[in-house]
Amino acid sequence: MERSGALASYERRITPEALGCPLTAFITARVDQRRLAEVFRALAGIAEVVEVFGLSGETDLLARVAATDTEDLYRIAGRILAVPGIERTTTFLAMRELVPHRLTPLLRRAVGEGWRTWCLLLGRPGWDRF
């Protein structure tokens, strides 16, 4: 399942809090579209940036960051804004996680749809024989 991509990184089992970063924030950014690849590479080089999503609409990306405190968050936001190609950022402090990352409901739905889904997830041909 790992080879097919159905199982992602095991890093999700470690919380940022356990690593001394109890503060979670989301930073949106507008990006010079000609420098998009350069921006994503630069963001991947910032340890506190734990996820980045490309977005449609007025905002180009959403970065989830982990910080030790508000001063640390200020420093991280400054590093992100200093990345060549980032034109503007907005920072949102997460007050509390209301629905934690979860896949169990999707897994239950997939199982309910039968073997076809499992075979596709596992990358096995011949799912139509079940």
Side-chain angles (χ1 to χ4, degrees), residues 49-61:
V49 173
V50 295
E51 289 182 293
V52 179
F53 295 92
L55 303 176
S56 62
E58 291 293 315
T59 301
D60 297 309
L61 66 85

Side-chain angles (χ1 to χ4, degrees), residues 90-108:
T90 304
T91 302
F92 301 91
L93 181 62
M95 302 299 287
R96 184 171 75 171
E97 185 178 66
L98 301 175
V99 177
H101 178 83
R102 65 205 177 107
L103 293 176
T104 302
L106 283 175
L107 184 58
R108 285 187 183 130

